[in-house]
Amino acid sequence: PVEFHEDVLLSMSTPATSHVSPSFIPIFGEAIELLRKIFLTAKGQPFVVSGSGTLGWDMVSSNLIEPNEDVLVLNTGYFGDSFADCLETYGAKVTQVKADIGDRPTLEEIHNALVSKRFKAITITHVDTSTGVLSDVKAIANLVKQYSPETLVIVDGVCSVGSEEIRVDEWGIDVVLTASQKALGVPPGLCILIASERAMNVFSNRKTPIKIMNSYEGRKGMYFATPPVQLIYALHTSLKQITSIPLEERFQQHKEVSNRIKDSLEELGLKFVPKNREVSANGMTAVYYPEGIKPTDLLPRVAECGVVIAGGLHRKIASRYFRVGHMGISVTEPHRKHIEKTIEALQENLIQLGYKYK
């Protein structure tokens, strides 16, 4: 979980409002425009729909991939497994390049897979929330451009958009999918996806969703399944906050806080799931429990301090590690002291549980 800014929550406290109301249409329209700034794209087409981030998998699988087309999935954890499952459900022929737990596929492994056959698309989990592993999207996209330029580059950015650097146009990314509830700082309920012009050409036989987004962006309402109006008000508020400073500054803030947390946990003698800092996410940290301490020992005690951390998610090691999220206002507004409170809660409760460190 991430904390939500008070103004974001307040913006949801609107009277009942029609999604074609003159007061709502410009809010939705500007939110679509602001998303282009977040993704650093001039012509990418944003989509904002009701649903979780994983709905983005279905949007990709059902609209960009035809049955029996080959897709290359780069797997760094639980969510690589799940994206592959979704693609296969829609009939795709999936080839996976899997990394060991805590690592990511090498560029050499990816190259060898790319030249082995023609792939309609390659999927990259930018940050796998189950392991805290960060993929090098820029380098992978460049590799695709060199050796398989016809392949669509699809990025699962659920745990990265807003905390990790993503440059859709410059890096040649075709789709980034994400959700509202992580670094974008909005309560759960919105699936957000941006598609390049190339991806839109593949998508061209399905015009209605495009017309809807374009209509709102043009400040004209268009009827479709009712969107979550209050969540879009919240998204608009959060996007205005995020874009009020240069994105480069925001990325740097997340890097600095990530290093601070990881340094503090290393000083406690704890070990991380990612094998090194180079492959570690800047918006979250996955940490192994010290020997002898179980999830039921630590997590409830930390919660009593007003700090929420998450248990493990990767099936093979779920009971052996926990995850700390550090993104959004917890990072960009240091006066809230969220980071200090988290470190203190972990340190104090580990000591109370009998953990000794040098």
Side-chain angles (χ1 to χ4, degrees):
V2 302
E3 291 290 344
F4 308 121
H5 195 283
E6 295 82 359
D7 290 347
V8 170
L9 296 177
L10 184 62
S11 65
M12 296 178 67
S13 302
T14 62
T17 305
S18 166
H19 59 285
V20 291
S21 165
S23 63
F24 173 68
I25 290 170
I27 296 294
F28 199 172
E30 188 175 20
I32 292 170
E33 293 167 350
L34 290 169
L35 283 169
R36 288 197 182 87
K37 295 183 179 181
I38 298 293
F39 289 97
L40 293 168
T41 179
K43 296 182 179 179
Q45 175 62 58
F47 294 88
V48 182
V49 298
S50 304
S52 67
T54 53
L55 176 63
W57 298 341
D58 289 81
M59 293 172 70
V60 166
S61 302
S62 61
N63 291 295
L64 298 181
I65 312 298
E66 300 299 331
N68 296 316
E69 287 186 324
D70 286 292
V71 179
L72 181 62
V73 173
L74 306 186
N75 191 318
T76 53
Y78 176 93
F79 290 95
D81 290 335
S82 300
F83 203 165
D85 289 344
C86 182
L87 287 158
E88 288 176 341
T89 297
Y90 284 93
K93 294 165 63 178
V94 172
T95 299
Q96 293 199 53
V97 181
K98 284 194 174 189
D100 293 334
I101 295 174
D103 205 354
R104 63 193 186 191
T106 66
L107 292 178
E108 182 180 4
E109 290 172 327
I110 299 168
H111 167 265
N112 292 340
L114 282 171
V115 299
S116 68
K117 64 174 73 172
R118 181 187 179 279
F119 290 101
K120 176 68 172 294
I122 181 173
T123 73
I124 310 160
T125 308
H126 197 182
V127 172
D128 198 298
T129 322
S130 72
T131 57
V133 169
L134 173 70
S135 294
D136 189 344
V137 172
K138 180 181 180 181
I140 296 167
N142 188 53
L143 199 66
V144 174
K145 193 183 304 181
Q146 291 182 60
Y147 296 101
S148 188
E150 73 281 2
T151 299
L152 296 170
V153 178
I154 314 294
V155 176
D156 178 342
V158 171
C159 194
S160 67
V161 172
S163 61
E164 307 286 353
E165 183 178 12
I166 300 177
R167 299 179 180 274
V168 168
D169 289 354
E170 184 180 328
W171 295 355
I173 301 170
D174 292 294
V175 172
V176 182
L177 61 98
T178 191
S180 53
Q181 76 273 11
K182 289 193 170 68
L184 291 182
V186 178
L190 292 176
C191 176
I192 296 163
L193 182 147
I194 194 147
S196 71
E197 288 185 291
R198 186 166 73 145
M200 293 305 298
N201 288 333
V202 177
F203 189 70
S204 60
N205 62 335
R206 299 167 176 89
K207 293 286 190 182
T208 301
I210 305 168
K211 288 180 180 177
I212 292 165
M213 295 298 124
N214 289 344
S215 179
Y216 275 95
E217 190 171 359
R219 306 306 191 262
K220 298 177 182 178
M222 184 174 180
Y223 178 75
F224 71 113
T226 306
V229 170
Q230 280 68 33
L231 280 175
I232 292 171
Y233 272 112
L235 175 67
H236 177 264
T237 300
S238 185
L239 293 177
K240 293 281 281 187
Q241 292 176 346
I242 292 171
T243 56
S244 66
I245 64 170
L247 285 179
E248 289 76 10
E249 184 177 330
R250 183 179 178 87
F251 299 147
Q252 186 60 32
Q253 288 173 325
H254 281 81
K255 287 181 182 179
E256 290 173 358
V257 168
S258 176
N259 283 326
R260 181 179 168 197
I261 284 193
K262 290 174 173 63
D263 288 344
S264 298
L265 296 177
E266 270 190 341
E267 289 170 6
L268 291 173
L270 300 179
K271 298 185 182 302
F272 305 115
V273 175
K275 71 172 188 176
N276 57 43
R277 295 286 181 97
E278 184 183 1
V279 303
S280 295
N282 293 303
M284 65 162 290
T285 300
V287 195
Y288 285 110
Y289 293 105
E291 190 171 344
I293 293 180
K294 303 187 294 294
T296 51
D297 296 329
L298 183 63
L299 299 187
R301 299 178 71 104
V302 172
E304 289 175 2
C305 299
V307 174
V308 178
I309 60 175
L313 186 59
H314 195 291
R315 293 181 182 95
K316 292 184 178 179
I317 58 169
S319 63
R320 294 172 50 198
Y321 76 108
F322 62 93
R323 296 171 298 144
V324 181
H326 35 85
M327 58 185 85
I329 61 171
S330 295
V331 168
T332 60
E333 299 187 3
H335 64 273
R336 296 176 182 268
K337 305 291 185 183
H338 292 171
I339 305 305
E340 290 85 350
K341 290 175 183 176
T342 300
I343 294 170
E344 289 169 6
L346 284 168
Q347 181 177 4
E348 291 172 4
N349 284 287
L350 284 170
I351 291 171
Q352 290 173 16
L353 288 167
Y355 174 62
K356 294 181 174 59
Y357 61 97
K358 294 181 181 180

